[in-house]
Amino acid sequence: MTATGCSTQKNTAMTRQWHAFKARYNTYYNGTLAYIDASEEKENGNRDNYTEMLPLYTVANKQSRELGKAGYERAIEKCKKTIRQHSIKRRPVWDKKRRKTQRDREWLSRREYNPFLWRAWMLMGRSQFYKGDFDEAASTFAYMSRLYRTQPAIYGKARAWLAKCYVEEGWNYDAEDVIRETQRDSIHWAAQKEWDYTLTDYYLRTADYKNAAVYLRRVIRHEMRRKQRAREWYIMGQIQTLLGNKAAATAAYRRVIRQNPPYEVEFNARIAMTEVMSGTQSNKMIARLKRMAASDKNKDYLDQVYYAIGNIYMARRDTAKAISAYERGAVRATRSGIEKGVLLLRLGDIYWARERYADAQRTYGEAIGMLDKDRPDYTQLDQRSKVLDELVPFTETVHLQDSLQQLARMDEASRNAAIDRVITQLKRKEREEQRLKAEQEAGNGTQQNGDQNMGNANRFNQQRPQNNNTAGAMAGDKTQWYFYNPMAVSQGKTAFQKLWGKRENVDNWRRTNKTVVAVGRDDDETAADTTAVQPETTPETVPDSAATDPHRREYYLAQIPFTEEQKAESDRLIMDGLYNAGVIFKDKLDNLTLSERSLLRLTRDYKSSEHTADAYYHLFLLYMRKGDKATADTYVDLLQRNYPQNEWTALLSDPNYVENASFGVHIEDSLYAATYDAFKAGRYNEVMAGVDVSGSRFALGANRDKFVFIGGLSKLNNGDAAGCVEDMRTVVEKYPQSGVAPLAGMIVKGVGEGRRLYGGKFDIDNVWQRRAAVLADSDSIATRQLSAERNTPFVYMTVYAPDSVDENRLMFNIARYNFTSYLVRNFDIAIEDLGGLHSMTISGFRNYDEALQYARQLHSQKPVAELMSHVRSVIVSEENRKLLGQQFSYDDYDKFYARHFAPLKISDKPLLNEPDYTPEQQPDDGVGPDVPNVSPVINNDNVNKKIDDKKVDSKKVDSKKVDNKTNKKKENKVVEDLSDEYYDLEGF
């Protein structure tokens, strides 16, 4: 047979059979083998979260989604090759003398005539689905449903998989549309199996468990793989438990055990079965669980065992025993996974409900690093954890100081007995911790020896993905930045707090004053670090003392306030803790009872406290929220009588207080907008009038810092330089976290260095017009001009407001792009603070042409382009870069770039694929064809995205040789007949 006879441009019975034969036994066969290998890897490596409803498809587990990715990509590649080489689109020649039947019309209206090729389309879509690329899979199945519209069996399969893609994507409405449209017609019998899986997945995702159970039974009958069948029976048990059918749930879990699944599945089925049966046999089930806890083979599952015991106690409303079981499970757990995180979350919720906030803070803080951010209750957990991190130090301080003062009031014998009890409890706790540590070390040693001696490949394969999902995911996952792993962040947070204590997540956290200038302090004090690190161990020159040993009485006696000075310091700590805890209880926890208790104790027992006036104000707000206006008014009277000059007294005595409380935010915003417009227009008298109104009516308003700032600038323009500096000092001192504080700090710093102030109008909001030189009289800078030199080192910069861009993710994506795209070049990435702005600079370009080529290619990368929607991109030479933000603003440089660089023609050669030239070599100055003008502000809309993607792969091998080699290597793997429609693929 000649090549012409085999061409896809002919549509005869012979060409159709020939291309179907070649498609099946060449590229498609190799793609099938790759698909099976990838599916086995995903099946063996998947780790389900048995504390939640299991998904029907393991690809829904994000931690194991990457498993088998390489195999699926190879299968997709082979399918694309099959379709490209063997697709027959041309219609067959029809004998016009023959009358067309309905079947003939359907035949002639087809868009694909290779009778085997639909399997390649199906395999490609399924590979994309299990790879986790649901968008691509949905596109494949949508096209496939159009391509095979006239063939009901294939069309039905494609629509079923399209609905599955929508379900896994979370697009339930789109999935429902596909399901409703298909159900209007009869489903072909050959597609019924796929629809059973699809409807099961859909009803599970929409929490319609009654219908899910019906279709899940059909799925179990279809399932050919015992391991998957056990998993589906476990899902059935979960469904029946939620429906309240305990007998059916127990029967389902027993079916799981009968499938002889891996031990993890069997163990979780037994645990779930005990919880289901605990309603009538709770004591028996608890005894069974305790026996499971005593078994050596369950030592890695103790958190789940004790979690189940705690759940049974909670069902019996025995909260004390439930807490004991949960705490024991948290202590004895050998893993730091989702199971332990769920246990700690449940324990934290109990402590929260019982107002044991210190214990809740401890458990929440540990749980937050083990749970997925996509959990429905994660937002609440995160909010509670942050509030408790702020609250607990104050409540614990009050509790500690109260205890120490109580010890100070005791007689010596009672005090020593109390201290001895604390020491005994400490020793018991240390012995328990040492025992648990020894057990874990012994268990780890036994596990390692067993792995080395057994050499069991299956066991190794089952353990390997678990490691990848924990520590390996932090460093080895190429698709995820290290700091986006919650467990890694939590562990880093704990290590940081051990060294530095609890600190706000702010820039310049080691500085007392966060602005560029520290007002009222010497330069030496400003430069000094305010958080000196204390050594972890006592220097060798200091002798051992009983006062430093927590196992000796002297250690505790040294902390007890015996003297008047110590008592006064202890009282100060109590007063500070009571006030701050009371405010947090009221404003962030909405616990008015505890807030009232704290604030009333402060005002009753510590009348000389510096927080008394503030406490009166918050008690006024508290009783107003409770609807007790009479009691609230008494605190207004106390403020007017005892603190007539206090800011709270002025606020509550204001006749406009009610109006300000209801509409003050809107009124102040409108006032600031009008004042700012007047400032930009140069109407400084109106500006000063607006500033005065702000000071008298909205002294504590959200815009007060900006009022003071523009008021100071208005004074400068009216010739009052001293008043301007004083207002700038006020902004720096009173509002260090304000957005205008850095600008105010630069002004104060410049004046302190002897520079002169000049007036002038500028827009505060337009950072791109700022120039630091307008605040300083620097003749050396003023004499320098921008250079239009092209063949000089250039950099590519992205400039942005720090809170407008996910900086870490952007740097990671750019670094990954550089590493994977430019093998012979090294580009440095640096982040700088530009006084209110940040810049990410990529350097290493020898000239303007290279920098522009790089910028165009970078902006064509979708992950990077999405993150750069709020950045300003600048291509600038190293020489001109020093002048940006100083003598010239970014807008000034934009005009200069448009005039000197945008019209230039750049080389069309791939300059970045060439290594750096040696000094003896000179780069080619060849000029390519004309290109559109490019602004230094590179937006996604105006970047030339036509990048030449024809790259030469030096390792490319003839595809036929690879296919033949793969055939020989795996020729014994597939023993089923490839003509079977489902073959081995349906098992996965």
Side-chain angles (χ1 to χ4, degrees):
M1 182 178 293
T2 62
T4 305
C6 301
S7 172
T8 57
Q9 298 304 312
K10 285 191 174 185
N11 187 349
T12 64
M14 183 176 294
T15 58
R16 291 193 296 270
Q17 292 176 7
W18 173 249
H19 283 287
F21 176 83
K22 288 195 66 177
R24 171 178 292 185
Y25 294 109
N26 191 5
T27 49
Y28 176 80
Y29 176 83
N30 288 280
T32 300
L33 296 180
Y35 176 88
I36 294 174
D37 288 343
S39 298
E40 288 179 346
E41 181 182 350
K42 185 178 288 290
E43 180 184 276
N44 295 330
N46 176 66
R47 290 294 179 270
D48 283 308
N49 176 15
Y50 292 94
T51 63
E52 299 177 352
M53 174 66 70
L54 298 188
L56 183 62
Y57 292 103
T58 57
V59 72
N61 294 330
K62 291 186 177 180
Q63 290 185 338
S64 58
R65 184 169 293 175
E66 294 294 316
L67 294 175
K69 183 177 180 180
Y72 290 127
E73 288 178 345
R74 177 169 174 77
I76 293 169
E77 176 188 354
K78 291 300 179 182
C79 290
K80 288 181 178 178
K81 184 176 180 181
T82 302
I83 295 168
R84 183 173 62 252
Q85 293 182 350
H86 302 293
S87 176
I88 301 176
K89 300 287 188 183
R90 182 179 293 275
R91 289 187 177 184
V93 178
W94 182 258
D95 185 1
K96 295 183 179 180
K97 296 180 181 180
R98 178 182 168 186
R99 185 178 179 181
K100 295 179 183 177
T101 64
Q102 183 64 30
R103 186 175 179 181
D104 295 333
R105 292 190 182 93
E106 185 276 325
W107 165 257
L108 291 174
S109 64
R110 291 184 181 182
R111 299 172 60 183
E112 175 59 60
Y113 288 94
N114 186 328
F116 182 82
L117 209 60
W118 70 270
R119 291 179 173 83
W121 281 105
M122 183 64 69
L123 180 60
M124 181 169 69
R126 291 173 60 163
S127 299
Q128 292 166 339
F129 178 87
Y130 286 114
K131 177 187 169 186
D133 198 348
F134 302 121
D135 290 340
E136 290 293 331
S139 300
T140 298
F141 289 121
Y143 178 78
M144 187 179 175
S145 62
R146 295 193 299 270
L147 190 64
Y148 294 99
R149 182 80 184 186
T150 61
Q151 297 170 260
I154 303 174
Y155 174 78
K157 292 173 184 287
R159 300 298 286 179
W161 278 95
L162 177 62
K164 288 179 195 177
C165 295
Y166 289 153
V167 170
E168 295 299 328
E169 196 77 272
W171 302 345
N172 291 335
Y173 291 111
D174 300 272
E176 186 178 352
D177 288 341
V178 176
I179 292 170
R180 188 186 304 111
E181 176 188 346
T182 304
Q183 287 179 337
R184 284 200 298 261
D185 304 324
S186 60
I187 299 176
H188 193 276
W189 65 268
Q192 189 61 55
K193 175 181 176 179
E194 298 296 350
W195 275 106
D196 289 340
Y197 277 88
T198 298
L199 293 173
T200 302
D201 197 21
Y202 171 74
Y203 288 126
L204 282 174
R205 289 303 184 96
T206 56
D208 186 352
Y209 298 120
K210 187 175 181 180
N211 281 323
V214 174
Y215 286 99
L216 182 57
R217 291 189 182 278
R218 301 182 185 179
V219 166
I220 293 173
R221 287 197 298 268
H222 294 312
E223 189 60 61
M224 297 183 296
R225 297 181 63 82
R226 186 169 57 186
K227 186 175 181 179
Q228 293 298 326
R229 193 159 56 243
R231 188 172 178 277
E232 288 157 4
W233 273 118
Y234 190 93
I235 298 174
M236 178 65 77
Q238 291 180 308
I239 293 174
Q240 297 298 340
T241 302
L242 291 172
L243 294 176
N245 302 328
K246 294 187 177 181
T250 303
Y253 289 130
R254 284 176 176 158
R255 295 293 294 269
V256 174
I257 298 171
R258 283 209 297 265
Q259 300 298 319
N260 193 23
Y263 183 71
E264 183 180 12
V265 182
E266 178 186 346
F267 169 81
N268 282 278
R270 293 185 184 278
I271 289 286
M273 191 161 51
T274 58
E275 293 191 55
V276 171
M277 299 173 62
S278 64
T280 57
Q281 308 175 49
S282 58
N283 291 331
K284 182 179 178 181
M285 293 301 106
I286 290 174
R288 180 182 296 180
L289 288 168
K290 288 182 177 178
R291 288 195 300 272
M292 294 176 67
S295 174
D296 288 340
K297 65 179 181 180
N298 294 329
K299 62 184 178 181
D300 291 334
Y301 303 100
L302 292 179
D303 47 2
Q304 293 176 258
V305 174
Y306 285 102
Y307 179 67
I309 294 174
N311 290 343
I312 295 175
Y313 281 127
M314 285 299 294
R316 291 166 48 174
R317 299 187 178 180
D318 191 343
T319 308
K321 289 186 177 179
I323 291 176
S324 177
Y326 291 142
E327 287 284 11
R328 190 165 180 80
V331 170
R332 299 194 62 186
T334 60
R335 303 173 298 173
S336 295
I338 295 175
E339 295 81 4
K340 183 178 178 181
V342 171
L343 181 149
L344 291 168
L345 176 60
R346 183 71 177 272
L347 184 58
D349 289 340
I350 296 174
Y351 285 140
W352 177 277
R354 296 169 69 88
E355 297 180 353
R356 293 172 57 176
Y357 293 118
D359 291 323
Q361 187 252 0
R362 169 178 56 84
T363 52
Y364 279 152
E366 192 174 356
I368 199 169
M370 302 177 187
L371 299 175
D372 194 343
K373 289 185 177 182
D374 292 336
R375 286 178 62 92
D377 53 359
Y378 186 88
T379 301
Q380 181 189 69
L381 168 64
D382 185 48
Q383 291 173 348
R384 287 182 176 182
S385 180
K386 289 178 180 177
V387 172
L388 292 176
D389 285 345
E390 186 178 353
L391 169 69
V392 168
F394 297 116
T395 59
E396 289 297 283
T397 297
V398 172
H399 177 70
L400 174 62
Q401 296 304 320
D402 283 342
S403 300
L404 294 175
Q405 291 187 15
Q406 184 179 0
L407 288 172
R409 292 190 294 269
M410 289 181 179
D411 60 84
E412 185 175 359
S414 301
R415 182 165 52 243
N416 289 339
I419 293 174
D420 290 342
R421 287 194 296 271
V422 173
I423 294 174
T424 301
Q425 185 178 1
L426 174 63
K427 291 180 178 179
R428 185 185 301 114
K429 180 180 178 182
E430 289 178 347
R431 285 196 300 269
E432 179 67 15
E433 290 177 349
Q434 290 176 358
R435 185 184 65 80
L436 291 174
K437 183 178 180 181
E439 288 181 357
Q440 291 179 1
E441 290 178 351
N444 292 337
T446 304
Q447 178 74 19
Q448 291 175 0
N449 293 333
D451 287 346
Q452 293 174 0
N453 296 332
M454 290 175 63
N456 190 319
N458 291 334
R459 183 177 178 183
F460 174 78
N461 290 333
Q462 292 176 3
Q463 290 177 351
R464 179 181 56 189
Q466 182 176 358
N467 296 332
N468 290 339
N469 293 339
T470 54
M474 298 179 211
D477 188 352
K478 297 180 180 179
T479 63
Q480 189 177 26
W481 177 235
Y482 170 86
F483 289 104
Y484 291 93
N485 184 294
M487 187 179 298
V489 173
S490 177
Q491 293 170 352
K493 179 181 176 183
T494 302
F496 177 88
Q497 289 178 353
K498 276 186 180 180
L499 184 61
W500 300 104
K502 294 184 182 294
R503 294 181 176 272
E504 251 186 277
N505 185 16
V506 295
D507 293 333
N508 300 326
W509 56 270
R510 294 177 65 174
R511 290 181 179 273
T512 299
N513 191 297
K514 305 300 189 298
T515 61
V516 295
V517 60
V519 179
R521 300 185 62 191
D522 296 335
D523 291 340
D524 294 340
E525 294 178 350
T526 304
D529 185 5
T530 61
T531 56
V533 182
Q534 299 297 329
E536 296 183 359
T537 59
T538 306
E540 295 181 359
T541 56
V542 179
D544 291 338
S545 172
T548 61
D549 185 0
H551 302 90
R552 304 283 294 275
R553 287 180 182 174
E554 290 80 357
Y555 174 82
Y556 301 95
L557 291 172
Q559 303 178 46
I560 299 176
F562 290 110
T563 66
E564 290 299 325
E565 292 79 5
Q566 292 172 338
K567 176 68 164 55
E569 176 62 19
S570 178
D571 286 342
R572 187 191 66 79
L573 293 174
I574 291 176
M575 290 184 286
D576 186 65
L578 288 172
Y579 170 71
N580 287 286
V583 174
I584 295 172
F585 280 135
K586 175 177 67 71
D587 294 340
K588 298 186 177 181
L589 293 184
D590 198 28
N591 192 328
L592 300 184
T593 302
L594 291 181
S595 176
E596 182 182 16
R597 185 186 306 169
S598 297
L599 295 174
L600 284 178
R601 181 188 171 189
L602 174 65
T603 58
R604 181 184 64 248
D605 298 344
Y606 303 95
K607 296 184 183 299
S608 61
S609 170
E610 62 180 3
H611 298 296
T612 301
D614 296 330
Y616 286 157
Y617 171 72
H618 286 287
L619 283 168
F620 166 80
L621 297 178
L622 185 150
Y623 286 113
M624 288 295 289
R625 285 172 62 178
K626 295 176 70 173
D628 189 353
K629 189 175 185 303
T631 305
D633 289 339
T634 62
Y635 289 99
V636 178
D637 295 337
L638 287 171
L639 280 170
Q640 292 174 342
R641 185 166 59 251
N642 299 327
Y643 304 94
Q645 303 301 322
N646 189 273
E647 58 184 359
W648 299 125
T649 305
L651 180 67
L652 296 180
S653 302
D654 188 350
N656 298 318
Y657 174 75
V658 176
E659 181 184 6
N660 290 343
S662 302
F663 310 106
V665 175
H666 304 291
I667 296 174
E668 190 204 17
D669 287 343
S670 300
L671 176 64
Y672 176 70
T675 304
Y676 185 57
D677 289 341
F679 171 76
K680 291 194 291 185
R683 302 192 299 270
Y684 301 116
N685 291 333
E686 294 182 27
V687 174
M688 299 311 299
V691 173
D692 292 339
V693 173
S694 166
S696 61
R697 186 168 178 180
F698 304 107
L700 302 175
N703 296 314
R704 181 58 187 164
D705 55 332
K706 293 187 279 292
F707 273 112
V708 176
F709 183 78
I710 63 175
L713 294 179
S714 299
K715 291 178 182 179
L716 175 63
N717 282 279
N718 286 332
D720 185 4
C724 171
V725 174
E726 186 61 31
D727 285 347
M728 297 302 133
R729 288 183 181 274
T730 301
V731 172
V732 173
E733 290 177 344
K734 293 188 65 176
Y735 312 101
Q737 303 298 332
S738 168
V740 296
L743 290 175
M746 285 193 294
I747 293 175
V748 176
K749 184 178 180 181
V751 173
E753 293 174 352
R755 298 174 181 174
R756 298 176 56 191
L757 285 172
Y758 295 93
K761 302 176 184 177
F762 66 95
D763 189 348
I764 297 175
D765 291 333
N766 193 346
V767 296
W768 308 114
Q769 295 179 2
R770 294 182 189 170
R771 290 175 295 173
V774 301
L775 303 177
D777 186 11
S778 178
D779 296 334
S780 61
I781 295 178
T783 58
R784 299 177 61 179
Q785 298 296 324
L786 293 171
S787 170
E789 175 60 36
R790 171 182 186 174
N791 293 313
T792 188
F794 268 72
V795 298
Y796 169 73
M797 298 173 58
T798 59
V799 188
Y800 47 87
D803 57 351
S804 66
V805 175
D806 193 339
E807 193 172 64
N808 288 336
R809 188 180 290 274
L810 177 60
M811 182 174 67
F812 170 68
N813 283 333
I814 292 179
R816 184 173 63 177
Y817 168 72
N818 290 349
F819 179 76
T820 56
S821 302
Y822 306 108
L823 302 180
V824 297
R825 301 291 293 274
N826 293 321
F827 299 122
D828 295 328
I829 304 177
I831 298 179
E832 299 179 39
D833 189 346
L834 303 179
L837 294 174
H838 281 191
S839 75
M840 188 176 298
T841 304
I842 296 92
S843 57
F845 306 108
R846 297 168 297 185
N847 50 50
Y848 167 72
D849 293 21
E850 288 188 354
L852 182 59
Q853 281 191 8
Y854 175 86
R856 289 175 173 174
Q857 295 172 14
L858 180 67
H859 278 263
S860 68
Q861 305 301 311
K862 186 177 179 181
V864 177
E866 291 175 350
L867 293 170
M868 296 178 65
S869 57
H870 298 291
V871 307
R872 182 160 184 160
S873 298
V874 182
I875 299 174
V876 61
S877 66
E878 292 279 10
E879 182 180 355
N880 291 339
R881 177 189 171 198
K882 300 174 183 178
L883 304 180
L884 278 182
Q886 300 293 325
Q887 179 65 21
F888 299 95
S889 69
Y890 288 92
D891 285 348
D892 294 336
Y893 180 74
D894 194 3
K895 297 175 184 177
F896 176 83
Y897 181 95
R899 185 169 62 254
H900 293 91
F901 287 105
L904 295 178
K905 300 177 181 179
I906 69 168
S907 173
D908 58 349
K909 296 181 179 179
L911 302 175
L912 300 175
N913 293 335
E914 302 173 0
D916 292 336
Y917 286 93
T918 60
E920 292 77 10
Q921 294 174 310
Q922 298 296 328
D924 190 350
D925 292 330
V927 176
D930 293 348
V931 295
N933 292 341
V934 180
S935 169
V937 184
I938 304 175
N939 297 321
N940 292 333
D941 296 334
N942 60 14
V943 173
N944 182 7
K945 296 184 178 179
K946 297 181 179 179
I947 302 173
D948 184 11
D949 59 353
K950 297 179 180 179
K951 299 180 179 180
V952 179
D953 186 355
S954 60
K955 298 182 179 180
K956 187 173 181 181
V957 185
D958 182 44
S959 61
K960 292 184 179 179
K961 294 182 180 179
V962 174
D963 293 338
N964 293 334
K965 184 177 180 181
T966 307
N967 289 345
K968 294 178 181 178
K969 185 177 179 180
K970 301 183 178 180
E971 60 184 359
N972 296 324
K973 181 159 187 160
V974 179
V975 297
E976 307 260 351
D977 182 8
L978 287 177
S979 63
D980 179 7
E981 180 179 343
Y982 290 105
Y983 156 65
D984 271 353
L985 303 183
E986 288 304 315
F988 299 97

